[in-house]
Amino acid sequence: MMTEISLNVLDVAENSTRAGASLVTIEVNISHPDDTLTVVIKDDGCGMTEEQVQRVIDPFFTTRTTRKVGLGVPFFKLAAESTGGHFHIESEPGVGTTVTAVFGLSHIDRMPLGDITSTIHNLIVYHPDTDFIYIYRYDGAEFTLDTREMREILGGIPLNAPEVAGYILEYLTENKQETDHGAVI
């Protein structure tokens, strides 16, 4: 099993890019009043049939040819459910996929969120042709990063240009700090 939720986010978002998504939205919502940590990853990729959705949560199914098992999604599901939370995949061929994982925030078996800032940064930098919307909420406070807006401001400068990539990391780091005041989740 993965050791932090941010690695599950990375795995699912990577699946989105492989599915041809041009836009991936990642929402992380921490709510102490509701005692939940919710992660939603939505894409506009190729989507899946109901049969494919059922198969993707099976650890002995994978579309990859490099290995015989696909543990990322099943472990993400298990991690959420083992905290009293739940997991759901909604998908439609030709439209896209939405993965929702809800964790019991204070549950002893909940993995830490991990370095979500670096995860989002790496997704943006290593998938420069994919747009990302990242929304981080902490007890009602929130910030959003939308690479479409950044592209508009930057003109033709790629998001993985060193100066831009450095700015994106700084933006993510500072805004997370302002939103959650440095809380370790």
Side-chain angles (χ1 to χ4, degrees), residues 113-136:
L113 177 59
D115 191 354
I116 193 69
T117 297
S118 290
T119 296
I120 301 303
H121 176 256
N122 287 336
L123 284 165
I124 293 168
V125 169
Y126 290 106
H127 298 284
D129 297 328
T130 304
D131 278 310
F132 292 90
I133 299 172
Y134 172 58
I135 304 163
Y136 180 80

Side-chain angles (χ1 to χ4, degrees), residues 40-93:
V40 179
I41 304 162
K42 180 178 181 178
D43 70 50
D44 65 353
C46 64
M48 296 180 283
T49 65
E50 185 59 38
E51 178 186 341
Q52 288 170 315
V53 168
Q54 292 307 311
R55 291 173 60 192
V56 80
I57 58 176
D58 177 354
F60 299 104
F61 170 77
T62 184
T63 58
R64 292 186 185 180
T65 57
T66 56
R67 62 179 186 232
K68 296 184 187 320
V69 294
L71 298 175
V73 172
F75 276 158
F76 196 22
K77 180 179 184 293
L78 176 65
E81 291 173 347
S82 69
T83 67
H86 59 275
F87 183 89
H88 181 72
I89 299 177
E90 186 176 306
S91 191
E92 184 177 335

